[in-house]
């Protein structure tokens, strides 16, 4: 018979129990349980709940299902409703309405034996209703404060709608533009990736204090996908990652560790294997490294059916074996696979999994529910009125618009083709499949963002130039994948009547994101055919590219007059892009992934190794060097690169001393930065270093600091960076992280290929 307990009565019971019982801290194969919060009172409450639970109920807490919805409203899928009714679900994701979430919570809290509230998760990746530029784009702003704010806004909107947990930030390093999931990350660099990971965790969770999880404006965050999901061979999603522990630790792990250090409450295991061990079964990764070495005390969720996939991976005989491997590795919650709930009780009875491991996993999950305040009021996040007030507010729209303009990257701008100012008196032909499109703008992981509400570029430009001297003509010219001679003729006719052409081209939003891998990353041929015809009119052509990955723009770079990389910009796309095109915002974005000259160069990244046969970039054709016969080894556009409507100069780079000790020391780097052009603008000043000799080979350059600064036309300013011994530490031959003595170089640069302002120094 079901017991009906109201949450208040329940909580009283919990507190009473906690007060009289002496709480037993569990110990297990995974060691003594240590709480995430370190709060003894919460630990006691957690233990008092645990004491009431049957083994089956405990395993239920380790089980997550995805909600399914009928067109008429929320309908729970038959698969999981019986589990919910028996109190055997810890978390549900993809439940997307206050009404639906309330109903599910009601069943859990009021109609099950113990009434333990459900944790509601969702992929809130770059916005919930207000959709911000895709994470890869936002990272190009190098504006950490802005990224923290957009994560905060996403949390405010989602938490008002009953969501408590987001599966973000995705912090996987992306070196392979074929891989569609590069759109979710912050690009190729571990240093920048770590800073962005930190900003996003702080944004979602409301700061470093665990108590901020109680706020109704924050979400529990997830660092994903642990680990090296982005190192998939040949860019194929879910594919094998084969990489050394050096590369894992020096390149791939730092952003996850930064997420941990920022206080992320959960991690998600990645689908891939690393060096023969799928992450979901990797005890070294999930327990020895994550918990014992880093000291992570939250919980780990598998990825979607990641546990079941241990069978096709070939390390589990069957799903029962898969569940055992996963839980013994340190996975606390099974996302949608139902392996834990089906098999773990039996495995415990057989002694293959210890009940103490189960207890520890459950404790960590319950603790998050306490921290989120769900035990005090399981309905606290559900408030239609608050949801209405906190959705797509004018302030959120303003932030989104600013996020768009600061994320776009000006890749080429011959003869100052851009901006087209309101006073220019020009007639502009607006062409291309993505010019009057709102559907693609939000990109692939668009939360609950209404694609119809996103502002097309055509609309943004029309509003921008309204009442000005600029005249606009529009012709589509082609769809994303097809065109006809009539459509091209119409676009060409528009171009002939205009002074300048702006063409919005690119990918379908479905071509990036999960399971969206491309081996040809050029613009589709019909779009290039259209661009060729437009160029033949002799009019200057500006290409605005929308994509979820760096594309091969070699032909466009040769042919077009200007190129503006606008990614997938989200809700305010049209307005933010119009601000840049009209020169109301001077572009300040800098690439966070190298753009290849062709797909054959991939993986290509600036922080590569020198090799024993390095290429002289002034003479790349010398034989028997690490070069190509048919193209340069350099990217088309390097990491850190981006133009502005003004120009900048960096000069007089200096350090306060030439030698640095391996421990507890620092040098101060200064340089003069000047806006050498005629308009105000922002520059991202980048500090790179190189260790020339070490116990293991080191990258030819590594980003160690950056500052985004605004300078008025003609203004100059001194920038100062502090470089500590710790900043130069890495995992060397003995796999210990430390700073090794050696000859060093540093650069204060405008991008990763900028070698002016080079300084030698030494670590001793
Ligand atoms: C993705 C995760 C995502 C999950 C839930 C998986 O397929 O890899 O990133 O959080 O689905 O939607």
């Amino acid at each position: 018979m079901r017991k009906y307990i109201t949450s208040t009565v329940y909580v009283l019971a919990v507190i009473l129990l906690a007060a009289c019982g002496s709480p037993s801290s569990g110990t297990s194969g995974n060691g003594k349980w240590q709480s995430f919060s370190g709060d003894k009172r919460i630990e006691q409450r957690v233990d008092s709940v645990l004491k009431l639970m049957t083994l089956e109920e405990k395993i239920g807490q380790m089980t997550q299902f995805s909600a399914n919805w009928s067109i008429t409203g929320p309908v729970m899928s038959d698969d999981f409703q019986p589990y919910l009714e028996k109190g055997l679900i810890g978390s549900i994701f993809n439940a997307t309405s206050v009404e639906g979430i309330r109903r599910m919570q009601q069943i859990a809290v009021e109609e099950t034996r113990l009434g333990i509230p459900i944790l509601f998760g969702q992929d809130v990746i770059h916005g919930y209703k207000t959709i911000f530029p895709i994470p890869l784009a936002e990272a190009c702003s190098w504006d950490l404060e802005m990224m923290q704010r957009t994560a905060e806004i996403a949390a405010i909107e989602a938490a008002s709608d009953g969501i408590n947990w987001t599966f973000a930030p995705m912090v996987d390093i992306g070196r392979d533009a074929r891989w569609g999931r590069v759109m979710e990350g912050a690009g190729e660099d571990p240093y920048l990736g770590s800073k962005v990971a930190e900003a996003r965790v702080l944004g979602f969770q409301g700061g470093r204090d665990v108590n901020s999880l109680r706020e109704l404006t924050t979400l529990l965050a997830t660092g994903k996908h642990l680990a090296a999901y982005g190192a998939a061979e040949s860019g194929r999603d879910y594919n094998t990652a084969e990489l050394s522990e050096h590369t894992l630790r020096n390149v791939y792990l730092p952003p996850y560790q930064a997420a941990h250090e920022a206080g992320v409450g959960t991690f998600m295991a990645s689908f891939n294997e690393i060096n023969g061990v799928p992450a979901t079964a990797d005890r070294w990764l999930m327990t020895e490294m994550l918990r014992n070495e880093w000291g992570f005390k939250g919980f780990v969720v598998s990825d979607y059916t990641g546990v079941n996939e241990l069978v096709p991976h070939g390390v589990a005989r069957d799903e029962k074996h898969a569940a055992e491997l996963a839980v013994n590795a340190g996975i606390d919650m099974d996302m949608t696979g139902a392996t834990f709930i089906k098999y773990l009780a039996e495995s415990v009875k057989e002694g293959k999994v210890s009940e103490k491991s189960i207890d520890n996993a459950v404790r960590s999950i319950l603790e998050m529910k306490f921290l989120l305040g769900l035990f005090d009021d399981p309905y606290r996040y559900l408030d239609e009125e608050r949801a209405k007030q906190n959705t797509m507010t004018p302030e959120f729209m303003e932030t989104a618009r600013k996020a768009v303009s600061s994320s776009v990257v000006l890749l080429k701008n011959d003869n100052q083709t851009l901006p087209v100012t309101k006073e220019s008196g020009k007639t502009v032909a607006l062409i291309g499949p993505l010019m009057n499109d709102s559907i693609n703008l939000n990109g692939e992981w668009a939360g609950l963002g209404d694609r119809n509400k996103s502002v097309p570029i055509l609309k943004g430009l029309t509003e921008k130039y309204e009442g000005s001297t600029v005249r606009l003509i529009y012709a589509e010219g082609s769809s994303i994948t097809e065109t006809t001679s009539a459509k091209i003729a119409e676009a060409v006719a528009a171009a002939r009547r205009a002074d300048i052409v702006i063409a919005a081209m690119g990918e379908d939003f479905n071509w990036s994101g999960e399971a969206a891998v491309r081996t040809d990353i050029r613009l589709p041929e019909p779009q290039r055919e259209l661009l060729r015809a437009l160029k033949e009119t002799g009019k200057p052509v500006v290409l605005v590219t929308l994509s979820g990955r760096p594309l091969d723009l070699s032909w466009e770079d040769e042919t077009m007059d200007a190129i503006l990389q606008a990614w997938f910009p989200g809700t305010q796309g049209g307005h933010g892009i119009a601000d840049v095109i009209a020169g109301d915002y001077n572009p300040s974005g800098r690439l966070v992934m190298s753009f290849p000259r062709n797909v054959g160069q991939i993986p290509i990244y600036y922080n590569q190794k020198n090799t024993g046969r390095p290429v002289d970039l002034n003479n790349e054709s010398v034989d028997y060097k690490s070069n190509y016969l048919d193209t340069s080894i350099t990217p088309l556009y390097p990491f850190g690169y981006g133009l502005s409507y003004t120009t900048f100069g960096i000069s007089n780079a200096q350090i306060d001393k030439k030698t640095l000790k391996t421990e507890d020391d620092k040098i101060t780097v200064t340089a003069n930065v000047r806006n050498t052009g005629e308009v105000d603008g922002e520059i991202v000043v980048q500090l790179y270093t190189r260790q020339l000799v070490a116990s293991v080979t080191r990258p030819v350059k590594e980003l160690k600091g950056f500052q985004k600064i605004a300078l008025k036309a003609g203004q100059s300013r001194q920038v100062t960076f502090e470089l500590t011994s710790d900043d130069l530490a890495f995992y060397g031959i003995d796999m210990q992280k430390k700073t090794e003595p050696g000859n060093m170089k540093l650069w204060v640069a405008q991008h990763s290929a900028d070698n002016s302002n080079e300084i030698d120094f030494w670590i001793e």
Side-chain angles (χ1 to χ4, degrees), residues 376-434:
D376 300 322
D377 176 3
Y379 306 109
R380 64 199 298 271
Y381 289 91
L382 299 165
D383 182 344
E384 275 96 344
E385 218 17 70
R386 201 160 46 85
K388 265 187 227 143
Q389 282 165 15
N390 281 324
T391 301
M392 300 182 94
T393 67
E395 189 234 315
F396 297 174
M397 292 296 127
E398 194 49 43
T399 306
R401 182 172 183 156
K402 175 77 197 308
V404 176
S405 36
S406 57
S407 299
V408 304
V409 186
L410 182 64
L411 297 175
K412 182 178 180 187
N413 195 21
D414 280 1
N415 308 315
Q416 297 181 326
T417 313
L418 285 176
V420 180
T421 64
K422 284 177 242 167
E423 302 75 37
S424 64
K426 286 187 177 154
T427 299
V428 188
L430 301 176
I431 314 286
L434 293 166

Side-chain angles (χ1 to χ4, degrees), residues 284-332:
W284 174 79
L285 189 64
M286 297 301 167
T287 297
E288 283 165 36
M289 201 252 343
L290 180 66
R291 264 91 172 205
N292 301 347
E293 199 181 308
W294 292 2
F296 173 70
K297 298 190 181 77
F299 73 85
V300 180
V301 63
S302 78
D303 203 343
Y304 200 112
T305 64
V307 180
N308 317 58
E309 290 168 29
L310 296 177
V311 178
H313 264 299
V315 294
R317 290 181 298 280
D318 50 30
E319 290 191 346
K320 176 164 175 276
H321 187 203
E324 290 160 5
L325 287 175
V327 85
N328 287 333
I331 305 295
D332 302 301

Side-chain angles (χ1 to χ4, degrees), residues 93 123 167 181 224-225 229 268 271 303-304 335 445 514:
F93 78 103
D123 288 289
F167 309 132
R181 298 198 80 167
K224 73 183 190 186
H225 308 80
Y229 182 30
M268 185 185 291
F271 284 125
D303 203 343
Y304 200 112
M335 180 186 274
W445 288 101
E514 188 173 350

